[in-house]
Amino acid sequence: MKKQIIDQIDRSLLRELQRDASQSQRDLAERVGISQNACWRRLRALDSAGILQGSSARIDRKALGLGLVVFVMLRTRHHSADWLDDFRRHVQTIPEVVDFFRIGGDYDYLLKVVTESMDSYDAVYQRLISKVELDSVTSYFAMEAITEQRPLPL
């Protein structure tokens, strides 16, 4: 994928959107120091380039009773494209898995699981291992979220 060249105005727009994506285009243009039409054109270009991928709200997970965060490290002996496709599809059916990475090092995959309790995590674990063969599963339980959902460094 070709890297999109963005300038300081685009970076300012992106920083502002990460700070508050609900602000009006007028307010966004004013904060960045460009006209509303220029703002609209730049946002369309960022969207067309795939840099902007929708908008979402940050939600306080604890306020919804989602107090347990688990980082799950997975190792497998299977590395075929078919196994990986099956594994990806399976993991994506588990809504508690909020982040999913293929990684290098001692483990092959890293999952971030957000759920209510140890019992609900055990149910996630049981679903995770029910459909695919894994070599090892190691879970790390977060004690405290020092910084979470930080904006990208622009």
Side-chain angles (χ1 to χ4, degrees), residues 84-96:
L84 179 55
D85 286 343
D86 289 344
F87 180 58
R88 283 181 177 166
R89 275 194 300 278
H90 175 57
V91 170
Q92 290 171 344
T93 67
I94 304 171
E96 293 88 351

Side-chain angles (χ1 to χ4, degrees), residues 3-56:
K3 184 177 177 183
Q4 173 74 20
I5 304 297
I6 62 172
D7 63 14
Q8 280 307 111
I9 294 173
D10 291 333
R11 288 181 187 283
S12 294
L13 283 169
L14 293 170
R15 272 193 296 273
E16 278 297 318
L17 288 171
Q18 285 186 111
R19 187 186 63 77
D20 181 4
S22 69
Q23 60 188 305
S24 71
Q25 240 179 51
R26 178 183 307 187
D27 290 342
L28 184 58
E30 187 175 301
R31 279 194 157 77
V32 173
I34 59 176
S35 72
Q36 196 170 341
N37 284 340
C39 181
W40 178 82
R41 283 191 303 273
R42 284 176 175 269
L43 291 174
R44 293 236 359 207
L46 291 167
D47 187 55
S48 294
I51 294 171
L52 287 177
Q53 298 180 344
S55 64
S56 60

Side-chain angles (χ1 to χ4, degrees), residues 34-145:
I34 59 176
S35 72
Q36 196 170 341
N37 284 340
C39 181
W40 178 82
R41 283 191 303 273
R42 284 176 175 269
L43 291 174
R44 293 236 359 207
L46 291 167
D47 187 55
S48 294
I51 294 171
L52 287 177
Q53 298 180 344
S55 64
S56 60
R58 288 193 308 258
I59 299 170
D60 181 347
R61 63 178 171 74
K62 288 182 181 177
L64 295 175
L66 300 171
L68 183 62
V69 176
V70 185
F71 296 95
V72 183
M73 308 296 289
L74 304 170
R75 188 177 297 126
T76 182
R77 292 186 181 143
H78 304 280
H79 298 282
S80 72
D82 287 342
W83 184 90
L84 179 55
D85 286 343
D86 289 344
F87 180 58
R88 283 181 177 166
R89 275 194 300 278
H90 175 57
V91 170
Q92 290 171 344
T93 67
I94 304 171
E96 293 88 351
V97 176
V98 298
D99 290 311
F100 177 25
F101 298 94
R102 186 168 56 90
I103 60 174
D106 290 337
Y107 292 93
D108 299 307
Y109 300 94
L110 166 67
L111 283 60
K112 180 180 177 185
V113 175
V114 176
T115 191
E116 299 90 11
S117 64
M118 191 62 72
D119 286 341
S120 60
Y121 171 67
D122 186 50
V124 170
Y125 171 81
Q126 295 300 327
R127 284 197 322 256
L128 181 64
I129 66 170
S130 70
K131 301 271 186 190
V132 291
E133 184 181 342
L134 297 166
D135 189 42
S136 69
V137 179
T138 302
S139 302
Y140 296 94
F141 302 93
M143 302 294 289
E144 174 186 11

